Amino acid sequence: MSAAELDRAVTSLVRQVGHWQQPRWAAPAAGGNVSRADLVHRLVQEVANLAADAEGGPRRAVPRLDNDLALPDQLRVVAADLVAAGPPPEVLARAAAEVAATRGAL
């Protein structure tokens, strides 16, 4: 797995959700137990955790902003942080798998 492949996965998800308004974010994700926004925020946190681990730093909670429309930008930022940390290919593959699974659940 390469950084370019992770970028493509993130770009695909951002294209899928980037135009959503608040009611669509608030709707239940597949499975119905969390909102779509909660699901994407969980993904953002997971990618941020992978980046922190790759950097050898502490994991930190990603703030849940008041406006869910910021979630695609948060995902882009934490994905860029992960790539900048230079993790091994299997970490990039795990991140891309998480993105794909989230995209499928939306």
Side-chain angles (χ1 to χ4, degrees):
M1 175 63 64
S2 70
E5 290 168 315
L6 174 59
D7 182 60
R8 279 192 294 276
V10 168
T11 298
S12 293
L13 190 144
V14 168
R15 283 186 186 144
Q16 178 180 344
V17 304
H19 64 281
W20 287 3
Q21 295 301 314
Q22 192 60 43
R24 200 153 180 196
W25 281 108
N33 58 353
V34 297
S35 71
R36 291 170 171 167
D38 289 340
L39 190 67
V40 174
H41 185 263
R42 190 177 301 154
L43 171 65
V44 169
Q45 184 64 62
E46 179 60 28
V47 175
N49 289 345
L50 291 172
D53 293 348
E55 293 168 348
R59 291 181 173 191
R60 295 185 177 92
V62 176
R64 181 64 190 270
L65 303 177
D66 292 336
N67 189 343
D68 293 331
L69 278 60
L71 286 165
D73 290 331
Q74 282 186 305
L75 178 59
R76 284 188 196 131
V77 168
V78 297
D81 289 346
L82 175 58
V83 170
E90 55 271 10
V91 173
L92 294 173
R94 180 173 170 202
E98 293 284 341
V99 171
T102 300
R103 188 168 181 234
L106 294 173

